[in-house]
Amino acid sequence: MKTAAPSSPPTAAPIVRLADAGVADTHTDEDLESQVQRARVFAEPLLAGQQLDTGEDALKHADGVSAILDGIGAAPSMRAAAYLVYAGDYLQKPEETVAKAFGPSHASLVMHTRKLVQIQRAAREAQFEGEQRAQQTERVRKMLLAFSRDLRVVLLRLASRLQTLRHYAASKQPCPEPLARESMQVFAPLANRLGIWQIKWEIEDLAFRFLEPDKYKTVARLLDEKRIERVQHVEAFRQRLAEQLREHGIAAEVQGRPKHLYSIWKKMQGKSLDFDRVLDVRAMRVIVASVPDCYAALSRVHDLMPPVADEFDDYIARPKPNGYQSLHTVVLDEADRPVEVQIRTQAMHDHAEHGVAAHWAYKEAGVKGYAGAVAADSDFDAQLAEARKGVLRQLLAWERDFVGQEEAAGSSVDADAGATFDDRIYVFTPQAAVVELTAGATPIDFAYAVHTDLGHRCRGAKVDGAMVPLNTPLANGQTVEVTAAKEGGPSMDWLNAELGYVRSARSKAKVRAWFNARAQAETIARGREAVEKLLQRIGKTAVKLDDLAGQLGFRQADALFEVVGKDEFSLRNIETLLKPPEPQPTADDLIALRKGRPEGESPKGGVLVVGVESLLTTLSRCCRPAPPDAIGGYVTRGKGVAIHRRGCSNFKQMALRLPERVISVAWGAPRGGKEAMYPVDVIVEASDRQGLLRDISEVFSKDRMNVTSVKTQSFKDTGGGTAWMTFTVEVADAARLSQVLGLVGQVAGVRSVRRK
């Protein structure tokens, strides 16, 4: 069923297209129409005798798609593309061949449409294998949204789906249920969002016919039973209304408007109405020249016939989301039967019937490849870009509606679909590419979504051409342009939740990763410097650093440098490893280390050596043990027993190399009732500021904890600077230290505090 094309183009803009080289050129309607014939001649030998997976003849399907596009006012270039898309399936190198014969614009369209067809086909096949219907529908919807950057792809798929449904209806073959349901749930709502009513209602009626054949036949029978009577009344009403409007100086075209089967059934179900109570089975459409004439005609209609209360809608003052405009009213005819009257201008009518195809610039301008950029730099181009954004906004709103319906029905979606649509927004780059963000996202989140490096270097942003602060929340449909420095990194303020610079978890992770990488690099550099100085001091500069790290149990040199830079690995271990081995101490050597003391008296330092009670003991500086830490002893060469914390990395490595030197030790009781004091190292990381050292020292002082030494280092960064401090404090019991560390952590600017 082919619908006649509109009698005149929807706009008066000059017809232009892009040449293959991307240069604008003017062509007549005859030149453009010849594209269709040339494309058909090109495709005919390839498509003749071929069948699509639906069983359709490929050439007839392409003819049908081209006719549907013609009926909604699409440009000849799009109708030509209908043949090239299907011919591409039978070419060795379809994109390359089509590009040479018809230009890169058609080649891009062929490539992306074929890709979408292939993925849709695979999705339907997965449905046949038992995959959830909601998952399949969600996948197709997301694909259509992803391909919406080139609206031609979407229009071609709509026309192709309608032609396929027509094929099943004409051939009286059963339509596959997944295909019919996909048509009803995805393609019909998409056509509605784009305002292409002509395609929308036919897809709905045909899908309704295949999905609910009994209900379809019931509604069709009700219409047929009263068709003759209804046609007579409608025609009489039409003639009388046209004559009355003409007598009052209102030039109008009055048409009888058909009511579609699915629309009637949906209204009967939604409002629990009998067929006789569906008010718009009898319907008129009045087309006038201007908006004032719309209201003048409305006034005259209400003068002639009594209106039905609460059945008036002004979609001119308040257009529908898809741009639909019209006046709707319901009046009673002479026999008190309800008649719906729609009043609109010709432009409104063209948009209502053909949607974006009625005013889209494919008829006036070509397209550069997939992105949809027009050739000339003019006011018309700006209007085209805005129109294109408007269509994308409708597609996004369509997605919102779709997801909302799925959630209301309790259906599932893909696991990777993430949050609901209300948790996402879509914004545009200056090139009109769509970027998906979390709701409340800022320009910094946008920059990180485009590229991690762009996020690091982001310094400013424009939203819809106006400069905005970097913590401004973005909204659907806005165009965002980022100003970036040539080099640099993020600010520490971006991680401050109260300032609101970064909202998405992904962006926050990237900012933290940048600072962690920088801190790690500084730590590695500090550790490398310490190791190299040690090697110079002991005359071992020829040692390969990676080999040295391997001997110490590290995978690479940087891993060694990192623990050295954090003061978590003693340089003495490296020195011990590289020095010539000393002879093992004999039993006499160990006995010589004994010191006499009264029986029952604890050794100096409060450590009791189990088994060899009189050995000299020392507290290791690498881990600073203190009661009640779990401790272990290591017999050194000539220096007695070194006491380590059990978790000390140095102690673990020495125990692995020489386990026979490890002995059991325990804390002894204090001597003479005096409380023994033990040095403990505390490491503080904080934002560098004036008075920081004083504030932290006051905390130790108030808690009567003696500080014996302090080491500080400062590093400048984009956040103002980072200070690393190592305090050596004396404690009698390490368990009491945790309370003091908690107080230090509350000092302004302190990021972390821990015992070394």
Side-chain angles (χ1 to χ4, degrees), residues 37-53:
Q37 295 301 324
R38 191 159 64 90
R40 194 181 191 285
V41 170
F42 175 86
E44 185 173 4
L46 297 169
L47 300 181
Q50 300 291 347
Q51 279 195 339
L52 303 180
D53 61 331

Side-chain angles (χ1 to χ4, degrees), residues 14 21 27 41 45 47 49 60 80 153 165 175 193 289 309 412 415 495 519 530 548 584 592 595 657 685 688 697:
H27 290 266
V41 170
L47 300 181
K60 288 183 179 179
V153 176
L165 293 175
C175 177
R193 272 293 173 182
S412 61
L495 294 177
L548 174 63
Q584 293 288 340
K595 286 190 175 181
R657 289 200 304 269
E685 179 192 358
D688 200 5
S697 299

Side-chain angles (χ1 to χ4, degrees), residues 129-279:
E129 295 171 2
E131 190 177 358
Q132 292 292 328
R133 176 179 299 138
Q135 291 178 330
Q136 179 243 354
T137 306
E138 169 78 2
R139 186 177 296 110
V140 174
R141 179 186 60 78
K142 282 184 173 292
M143 288 184 299
L144 284 168
L145 186 66
F147 280 90
S148 64
R149 286 180 291 171
D150 189 344
L151 185 63
R152 300 174 304 167
V153 176
V154 180
L155 291 179
L156 274 170
R157 293 308 303 138
L158 283 172
S160 176
R161 177 51 56 91
L162 176 56
Q163 177 59 29
T164 296
L165 293 175
R166 287 179 177 180
H167 159 74
Y168 283 115
S171 63
K172 301 189 182 301
Q173 297 181 33
C175 177
E177 190 267 348
L179 189 143
R181 191 167 299 279
E182 181 185 78
S183 301
M184 180 68 81
Q185 294 181 347
V186 177
F187 286 90
L190 175 58
N192 181 55
R193 272 293 173 182
L194 296 179
I196 312 176
W197 182 261
Q198 189 169 325
I199 288 182
K200 181 252 187 188
W201 74 257
E202 192 172 353
I203 287 180
E204 283 184 339
D205 275 6
L206 291 171
F208 177 45
R209 172 179 176 175
F210 298 128
L211 291 172
E212 304 284 355
D214 294 336
K215 295 173 182 176
Y216 177 88
K217 291 175 182 177
T218 298
V219 178
R221 187 168 56 252
L222 289 172
L223 282 174
D224 288 339
E225 287 174 355
K226 302 184 180 182
R227 180 180 300 277
I228 297 176
E229 177 187 356
R230 188 173 65 255
V231 168
Q232 291 174 348
H233 287 297
V234 166
E235 179 59 22
F237 186 94
R238 187 194 70 79
Q239 291 178 2
R240 186 161 66 92
L241 179 58
E243 183 178 347
Q244 290 286 339
L245 293 175
R246 187 168 53 255
E247 289 177 357
H248 285 78
I250 301 175
E253 178 186 352
V254 183
Q255 304 171 347
R257 183 178 67 85
K259 186 66 176 177
H260 309 299
L261 298 181
Y262 179 71
S263 179
I264 293 174
W265 179 80
K266 188 166 62 171
K267 182 165 289 190
M268 291 170 63
Q269 295 297 311
K271 297 185 177 182
S272 299
L273 300 176
D274 293 332
F275 179 78
D276 291 334
R277 296 181 60 200
V278 178
L279 300 182

